[in-house]
Amino acid sequence: MLYGEQGTVIWVVVCTALHGIVALFFAGVMGPVGRMGIFVGFLLLVAANVIIIRGGTPEAGMRALPLFHGAIVVYAVSILLEFFV
């Protein structure tokens, strides 16, 4: 880890916060299905951040990794559903 364990935790939390801000703008142009997907995906990211903050170790990051991947899947599926619905 380039920034150490605590630095990495801060980096992940800051990037998630920036992502949330930008997602608000993106949600503004989406319909209800897309907005719901963004909301659910962001909840998964928040849960992952809680795991990382509480653990603060590489092992905690590995436990949170499936939640990050899940958020990506939720985003992609909701955007596709929004397009086709």
Side-chain angles (χ1 to χ4, degrees), residues 37 40-42 44-45 64-77:
V40 171
F42 193 70
L44 290 171
L45 294 179
L65 189 59
L67 294 173
F68 285 104
H69 290 126
I72 293 168
V73 170
V74 169
Y75 286 156
V77 169

Side-chain angles (χ1 to χ4, degrees), residues 6-7 18 20 22 26 34 39 44 46 48 50 57-58 61-63 73 75 77 79-80:
Q6 190 61 29
L18 289 174
V22 173
F26 188 63
F39 178 73
L44 290 171
V46 169
V50 168
T57 64
M62 292 306 290
R63 284 193 310 275
V73 170
Y75 286 156
V77 169
I79 290 169
L80 287 172

Side-chain angles (χ1 to χ4, degrees), residues 3-85:
Y3 304 111
E5 289 179 358
Q6 190 61 29
T8 301
V9 169
I10 293 169
W11 182 82
V12 169
V13 171
V14 168
C15 286
T16 301
L18 289 174
H19 168 77
I21 292 167
V22 173
L24 287 174
F25 292 108
F26 188 63
V29 298
M30 299 293 291
V33 175
R35 281 190 215 118
M36 183 57 71
I38 290 171
F39 178 73
V40 171
F42 193 70
L43 286 179
L44 290 171
L45 294 179
V46 169
N49 276 266
V50 168
I51 292 170
I52 291 172
I53 291 167
R54 286 186 180 169
T57 64
E59 292 78 19
M62 292 306 290
R63 284 193 310 275
L65 189 59
L67 294 173
F68 285 104
H69 290 126
I72 293 168
V73 170
V74 169
Y75 286 156
V77 169
S78 67
I79 290 169
L80 287 172
L81 284 174
E82 183 67 40
F83 178 77
F84 289 111
V85 172

